[in-house]
Amino acid sequence: MAVDRKLLDILCCPVTKIPLEPLSRDRLEALNAAVEEGRAQYQDGTAVTGPVTEALITENGERIYLVEDDIPVLLEERALTARGLGWI
């Protein structure tokens, strides 16, 4: 189940205040490849484990927040960065 559209309309990055949008299927596949290769780390330095089924990304494409059990985890230390994944 995807994040509710009404909720998405009001969600933003807690750090930058930039609106969030669903991570595209292509980017989700790239993120999961990075997880499998051990290249995906949260801001606090811990590795992302297990496959990611859904995530949100800031409109500028810099920060990624995972969605766990249909709940966006919008904690600064649990964000991933596109730069850390080698996307920018």
Side-chain angles (χ1 to χ4, degrees):
M1 182 173 167
V3 174
D4 183 83
R5 187 77 226 163
K6 289 180 183 178
L7 180 59
L8 249 175
D9 288 342
I10 61 172
L11 287 180
C12 66
C13 172
V15 177
T16 64
K17 308 302 185 229
I18 295 173
L20 297 167
E21 56 191 33
L23 192 64
S24 70
R25 184 168 304 282
D26 291 345
R27 286 283 174 111
L28 190 59
E29 289 174 7
L31 175 56
N32 278 311
V35 169
E36 286 182 27
E37 296 167 3
R39 296 184 297 110
Q41 291 186 347
Y42 296 109
Q43 289 290 297
D44 66 6
T46 60
V48 178
T49 58
V52 177
T53 58
E54 188 175 4
L56 301 173
I57 189 167
T58 53
E59 285 183 349
N60 66 358
E62 291 182 3
R63 289 180 177 265
I64 301 147
Y65 296 92
L66 303 188
V67 177
E68 298 175 359
D69 297 323
D70 297 328
I71 300 169
V73 181
L74 301 179
L75 301 172
E76 180 178 4
E77 63 272 8
R78 299 300 281 182
L80 295 98
T81 63
R83 184 171 312 285
L85 293 169
W87 294 359
I88 55 173

